Amino acid sequence: MYSFDYARAKNAKDAAKLLAKKEAKVVAGGMTLLPTMKQRLAKPSLLVDLAASKDLKGIKKAAKALTIGAMTTHAEVAHSSVVKGACAALAALAEGIGDPQVRNRGTIGGSIANNDPAADYPAACLALGATIVTTQRKIPADKFFKGMFETALKRNELVTAIQFPMAEKAAYIKFPNPASRYAIVGVFVAKFKDEVRVAVTGAGPGVFRVPAWEEALAKKWSADAIAAGAVKAADMNSDIHATAEYRAHLCAVMAKRAVAAAK
Amino acid sequence: MASVTITVNGQKRTADVEPRTLLVQLLRENHGLTGTHVGCDTSQCGACVIHVNGKSVKACTMLAVQADGASVTTIEGLADGATLHPMQEAFRDNHGLQCGFCTPGMVMSAVDLVQHNADPSEQEIRDWLEGNICRCTGYHNIVKSVKAGAAAMRKTKTKKK
């Protein structure tokens, strides 16, 4: 690891101020950033730790939305009775990330700000039509994720919370890489009163929606409504874990399973 | 340099370290607690699992400075003097180790599991040990050990009551 300075932010505002320093970087759980720094792929001059920023933690449920603070860990989301009651699919998704020790440190804000193309949370945010609350504004999930490791966040802008609207039914099913538990393909389906949203992670260069399946499922909420071919192999990733053709096939299979599992 | 104070196994200890020092390095190199192992150094293998404020974490993927002010338990802190922790005893009784390199992490991870699931099923144990790799592939006896260790921990708990 290259050497760096370290500071603990007292709150989100303090963190944004500290981030003004050139080449400063923010660390949430550090489950991606620290391994990246070890490989010398990242070289921050200052590491701003958010762990002490209490204003970034917590889970709250209101009538229309479930709000999760950016520094809430995967384990906290997975075990929260509030999350389980409001959106069981989200709690189950959190329980499937990495391993128990990663879930004890990794955070929802860190995951979506990093926007790993195989991460799980971006699929939930996109399918549930979440709103990403930052230190500067509110960004709809549809405009937040910009492709591989890229988001709409500005340099000194921090995710403070994520607001999830309540779905009538939802489920997330993934085909995990057996070693890392990252999604080779993960599909989140969400049925609302007036629309259906389907988001796919792991398969392409970034999380994406599948309008053809959304329309078909809005007409008929059934696994049979998922037609293979709506997701093209040409748009898929291809690597040692799965070919593009296999990923395209898995998208339809995971989508069908998600619809069947949704409650 | 940064001054890092942690309570390790009930004892307050301070060290001056570079911010890039990993928590596992602080424990092993500054505090001489070499029971916590470094296996892969990439947060895959779990040989470095310790408890920070009661929760299991991988000490190779946490900076020492991030632990400043925290309470840390390592494998050295489990036994009560010469009396092994029930989970350690169970690993011995069930031949839950071959070379023993992964054992500190396995035991610390297992103790955390039993903290919130007093009677885990075999499947729950296998799922929980997702982040702990045994290079000798001795998983069968490890799972047996955790099951026995959980039973023994339940017994000690009732006795204490």
Side-chain angles (χ1 to χ4, degrees):
Chain A
M1 230 185 272
Y2 294 109
S3 68
F4 53 86
D5 293 325
Y6 171 86
R8 268 187 195 182
K10 288 190 277 290
N11 49 47
K13 216 172 141 192
D14 188 29
K17 214 189 282 167
L18 287 164
L19 267 184
K21 191 179 168 191
K22 205 176 163 219
E23 301 294 324
K25 243 185 182 328
V26 61
V27 63
M31 294 297 96
T32 300
L33 182 59
L34 293 178
T36 310
M37 286 167 65
K38 282 188 189 179
Q39 290 176 50
R40 299 196 166 187
L41 295 171
K43 192 187 174 187
S45 61
L46 169 72
L47 206 57
V48 180
D49 189 352
L50 298 180
S53 307
K54 290 207 174 80
D55 55 333
L56 296 175
K57 282 180 201 161
I59 297 166
K60 267 174 273 164
K61 188 183 172 272
K64 283 191 175 159
L66 172 73
T67 304
I68 301 180
M71 282 299 287
T72 311
T73 65
H74 307 325
E76 284 160 355
V77 173
H79 300 150
S80 157
S81 53
V82 178
V83 177
K84 282 181 189 167
C87 185
L90 198 58
L93 175 148
E95 184 71 8
I97 299 173
D99 58 51
Q101 288 72 40
V102 167
R103 293 196 287 274
N104 276 340
R105 297 284 303 159
T107 66
I108 186 168
S111 170
I112 66 161
N114 187 48
N115 193 18
D116 189 301
D120 300 299
Y121 270 127
C125 293
L126 196 57
L128 290 167
T131 302
I132 318 300
V133 186
T134 78
T135 42
Q136 299 177 12
R137 58 197 163 137
K138 289 183 171 189
I139 311 171
D142 281 308
K143 296 207 167 128
F144 182 83
F145 301 104
K146 297 273 187 199
M148 206 177 275
F149 297 108
E150 251 189 86
T151 67
L153 287 174
K154 291 180 204 148
R155 229 198 59 78
N156 56 350
E157 184 177 18
L158 290 175
V159 175
T160 57
I162 299 96
Q163 296 171 337
F164 294 98
M166 307 294 181
E168 282 178 1
K169 285 181 174 187
Y172 177 67
I173 302 283
K174 77 167 157 178
F175 191 87
N177 177 310
S180 70
R181 302 284 152 179
Y182 269 104
I184 287 177
V185 168
V187 179
F188 201 112
V189 297
K191 182 180 185 294
F192 294 90
K193 208 173 167 194
D194 49 358
E195 68 168 337
V196 172
R197 293 169 67 102
V198 179
V200 179
T201 188
V207 64
F208 62 88
R209 287 170 66 187
V210 187
W213 290 345
E214 293 179 351
E215 283 159 33
L217 288 168
K219 276 186 208 137
K220 185 188 170 208
W221 180 258
S222 155
D224 316 332
I226 306 285
V231 173
K232 303 264 184 288
D235 303 325
M236 299 288 102
N237 293 338
S238 192
D239 54 31
I240 56 164
H241 306 299
T243 61
E245 289 75 19
Y246 187 42
R247 274 194 168 82
H249 169 74
L250 282 176
C251 286
V253 176
M254 295 303 120
K256 283 182 190 202
R257 288 185 190 170
V259 172
K263 43 182 183 204
Chain B
M1 297 293 258
S3 169
V4 174
T5 301
I6 54 175
T7 305
V8 201
N9 303 328
Q11 215 186 339
K12 213 169 199 183
R13 301 181 79 163
T14 304
D16 280 325
V17 294
E18 275 194 82
R20 62 176 162 176
T21 307
L22 299 171
L23 179 54
V24 70
Q25 286 175 301
L26 172 79
L27 292 170
R28 289 177 58 87
E29 291 161 28
N30 294 80
H31 298 325
L33 295 166
T34 51
T36 305
H37 291 167
V38 181
C40 68
D41 196 21
T42 56
S43 52
Q44 313 277 324
C45 81
C48 65
V49 170
I50 58 165
H51 295 181
V52 174
N53 294 330
K55 288 177 184 162
S56 61
V57 304
K58 290 181 173 174
C60 82
T61 311
M62 187 167 171
L63 300 168
V65 283
Q66 288 179 292
D68 188 29
S71 173
V72 170
T73 308
T74 67
I75 190 74
E76 289 94 339
L78 279 191
D80 182 7
T83 315
L84 289 179
H85 184 279
M87 189 59 78
Q88 291 175 306
E89 195 68 54
F91 269 70
R92 186 166 73 173
D93 291 346
N94 291 280
H95 193 59
L97 51 144
Q98 290 175 37
C99 84
F101 194 86
C102 71
T103 314
M106 289 285 179
V107 171
M108 295 311 285
S109 189
V111 170
D112 189 21
L113 166 66
V114 179
Q115 278 171 4
H116 45 265
N117 185 353
D119 189 8
S121 68
E122 183 185 332
Q123 192 55 50
E124 284 169 334
I125 294 168
R126 287 185 188 275
D127 286 348
W128 183 268
L129 294 179
E130 165 64 31
N132 293 83
I133 295 174
C134 168
R135 203 230 175 264
C136 310
T137 70
Y139 295 104
H140 196 67
N141 281 356
I142 290 170
V143 173
K144 234 163 84 182
S145 305
V146 177
K147 191 109 177 108
M153 281 172 75
R154 288 198 299 278
K155 228 185 229 167
T156 349
K157 221 176 172 182
T158 356
K159 251 192 225 158
K160 271 185 191 156
K161 273 179 196 163

